[in-house]
Coordinates of all heavy atoms in Angstrom, one line a residue:
Chain B
E83 N 144.1 84.1 88.5 CA 144.5 85.5 88.3 C 143.3 86.3 87.8 O 143.2 87.5 88.3 CB 145.6 85.5 87.2 CG 146.9 85.1 87.7 CD 148.0 85.3 86.6 OE1 147.8 86.1 85.7 OE2 149.1 84.6 86.8
D87 N 142.1 89.5 89.9 CA 142.1 90.9 89.3 C 140.8 91.6 89.7 O 140.9 92.8 90.0 CB 142.1 90.7 87.7 CG 143.5 90.6 87.2 OD1 144.4 90.8 88.0 OD2 143.6 90.4 86.0
R90 N 140.8 92.3 93.6 CA 141.6 93.4 94.1 C 141.0 94.8 93.8 O 141.5 95.8 94.3 CB 143.0 93.3 93.4 CG 143.8 92.2 94.0 CD 145.3 92.2 93.7 NE 145.9 91.0 94.3 CZ 146.1 89.9 93.7 NH1 145.8 89.8 92.4 NH2 146.7 88.9 94.3
E106 N 149.3 112.9 115.6 CA 150.1 112.5 114.5 C 149.3 112.1 113.3 O 149.8 112.1 112.1 CB 151.1 111.4 114.9 CG 152.2 111.9 115.8 CD 153.2 110.8 116.2 OE1 152.7 109.8 116.9 OE2 154.3 110.8 115.8
D107 N 148.0 111.7 113.5 CA 147.1 111.4 112.4 C 147.7 110.3 111.4 O 147.9 110.5 110.2 CB 146.9 112.7 111.6 CG 145.6 112.6 110.8 OD1 144.9 111.5 110.8 OD2 145.2 113.6 110.1
M108 N 148.1 109.2 112.1 CA 148.7 108.1 111.3 C 147.8 106.8 111.5 O 147.4 106.6 112.6 CB 150.1 107.8 111.8 CG 151.0 109.1 111.8 SD 152.7 108.7 112.1 CE 152.7 108.0 113.7
W109 N 147.7 106.0 110.5 CA 146.7 104.9 110.5 C 147.3 103.7 109.8 O 148.1 103.8 108.9 CB 145.4 105.3 109.9 CG 144.9 106.6 110.4 CD1 145.2 107.9 109.9 CD2 144.0 106.8 111.5 NE1 144.5 108.9 110.7 CE2 143.8 108.2 111.6 CE3 143.3 106.0 112.4 CZ2 143.0 108.8 112.6 CZ3 142.5 106.5 113.4 CH2 142.3 107.9 113.5
M111 N 145.3 100.2 108.1 CA 144.0 99.5 107.8 C 144.0 98.2 108.6 O 145.0 97.5 108.6 CB 143.8 99.3 106.3 CG 143.7 100.6 105.5 SD 142.6 101.9 106.2 CE 141.0 101.2 105.9
Y113 N 142.8 95.3 108.0 CA 143.2 94.0 107.4 C 144.7 93.8 107.3 O 145.2 92.6 107.5 CB 142.4 93.8 106.1 CG 143.3 93.9 104.8 CD1 143.6 92.8 104.1 CD2 143.8 95.2 104.5 CE1 144.4 92.9 102.9 CE2 144.6 95.3 103.3 CZ 144.9 94.2 102.6 OH 145.6 94.3 101.4
D177 N 153.6 95.4 118.9 CA 154.5 96.5 119.3 C 155.7 96.7 118.3 O 156.0 97.7 117.8 CB 155.0 96.2 120.7 CG 156.0 97.3 121.2 OD1 155.8 98.4 120.9 OD2 157.0 96.9 121.8
R178 N 156.4 95.5 118.0 CA 157.6 95.6 117.3 C 157.4 95.8 115.8 O 158.2 96.5 115.1 CB 158.5 94.4 117.5 CG 159.1 94.3 118.9 CD 160.3 93.4 118.9 NE 160.7 93.1 120.2 CZ 161.3 92.0 120.6 NH1 161.7 91.1 119.6 NH2 161.6 91.7 121.8
R179 N 156.4 95.2 115.3 CA 156.2 95.3 113.8 C 155.2 96.3 113.4 O 155.3 96.8 112.3 CB 155.8 93.9 113.3 CG 156.8 92.8 113.7 CD 156.5 91.5 113.0 NE 156.6 91.6 111.6 CZ 156.5 90.6 110.8 NH1 156.2 89.4 111.2 NH2 156.6 90.7 109.5
L180 N 154.3 96.7 114.3 CA 153.3 97.7 113.9 C 153.4 99.0 114.7 O 153.4 100.1 114.1 CB 151.9 97.1 114.1 CG 151.5 95.9 113.3 CD1 150.2 95.3 113.7 CD2 151.5 96.3 111.8
G181 N 153.6 98.8 116.0 CA 153.5 100.0 116.8 C 152.1 100.4 117.3 O 151.8 101.5 117.6
Chain C
R43 N 145.1 100.2 89.5 CA 144.7 98.8 89.7 C 144.0 98.2 88.5 O 144.2 97.0 88.2 CB 143.9 98.7 91.0 CG 144.7 98.7 92.2 CD 143.9 98.4 93.5 NE 143.3 99.6 93.9 CZ 142.1 99.6 94.7 NH1 141.5 98.5 94.9 NH2 141.6 100.7 95.1
A47 N 146.1 94.5 87.7 CA 146.3 94.2 89.1 C 147.4 93.2 89.4 O 147.8 93.0 90.5 CB 145.0 93.5 89.6
F48 N 147.9 92.6 88.3 CA 149.0 91.6 88.5 C 150.4 92.2 88.2 O 151.3 91.5 88.5 CB 148.7 90.4 87.6 CG 148.1 89.3 88.5 CD1 146.8 89.4 88.9 CD2 148.9 88.3 89.0 CE1 146.2 88.4 89.7 CE2 148.3 87.3 89.8 CZ 147.0 87.4 90.2
R85 N 159.0 98.7 111.1 CA 157.9 98.9 112.0 C 156.9 99.9 111.4 O 157.3 101.1 111.0 CB 158.5 99.4 113.3 CG 157.5 99.5 114.5 CD 158.2 99.8 115.8 NE 157.3 99.8 116.9 CZ 157.0 101.0 117.5 NH1 157.5 102.1 117.1 NH2 156.2 101.0 118.6
A86 N 155.7 99.5 111.3 CA 154.7 100.4 110.6 C 154.6 101.8 111.1 O 154.6 102.8 110.4 CB 153.3 99.7 110.7
C87 N 154.6 101.9 112.5 CA 154.5 103.2 113.1 C 155.7 104.1 112.7 O 155.5 105.3 112.5 CB 154.3 103.1 114.6 SG 154.0 104.6 115.5
T90 N 155.2 105.4 109.1 CA 154.3 106.5 108.9 C 154.8 107.8 109.5 O 154.7 108.9 109.0 CB 152.9 106.2 109.7 OG1 153.2 105.8 111.0 CG2 152.2 105.1 108.9
R91 N 155.6 107.6 110.6 CA 156.2 108.8 111.3 C 157.2 109.5 110.4 O 157.2 110.7 110.2 CB 156.8 108.4 112.6 CG 156.9 109.6 113.6 CD 157.2 109.1 115.0 NE 156.0 108.9 115.8 CZ 155.9 107.9 116.7 NH1 156.9 107.1 116.9 NH2 154.7 107.8 117.3
R94 N 155.5 111.1 107.4 CA 154.9 112.4 107.9 C 156.0 113.5 108.0 O 155.8 114.6 107.5 CB 154.3 112.1 109.3 CG 153.4 113.2 109.8 CD 152.9 112.8 111.2 NE 152.6 114.1 111.9 CZ 151.6 114.8 111.6 NH1 150.7 114.4 110.7 NH2 151.4 115.9 112.2
T115 N 147.8 113.4 106.8 CA 147.3 112.1 107.2 C 148.1 111.0 106.5 O 148.2 111.0 105.3 CB 145.8 112.0 106.9 OG1 145.1 113.1 107.4 CG2 145.2 110.7 107.4
V116 N 148.6 110.0 107.2 CA 149.3 108.9 106.6 C 148.6 107.6 106.9 O 148.4 107.3 108.1 CB 150.8 108.8 107.0 CG1 151.5 107.7 106.3 CG2 151.5 110.2 106.8
I118 N 148.5 103.4 106.2 CA 149.1 102.2 105.6 C 147.9 101.3 105.1 O 147.1 100.9 105.9 CB 150.0 101.4 106.6 CG1 151.2 102.2 107.0 CG2 150.4 100.0 106.1 CD1 152.0 101.6 108.1
T119 N 147.9 101.0 103.8 CA 146.8 100.1 103.3 C 147.2 98.7 103.1 O 146.4 97.8 102.9 CB 146.3 100.7 102.0 OG1 147.4 100.6 101.0 CG2 145.9 102.1 102.1

Side-chain angles (χ1 to χ4, degrees):
Chain B
E83 285 189 19
D87 274 352
R90 290 195 178 94
E106 287 181 294
D107 202 357
M108 308 188 301
W109 310 86
M111 297 310 289
Y113 106 108
D177 178 38
R178 288 205 196 153
R179 304 189 63 177
L180 298 172
Chain C
R43 278 185 278 155
F48 260 78
R85 189 169 180 253
C87 185
T90 52
R91 200 166 272 146
R94 190 183 156 74
T115 306
V116 182
I118 295 177
T119 62

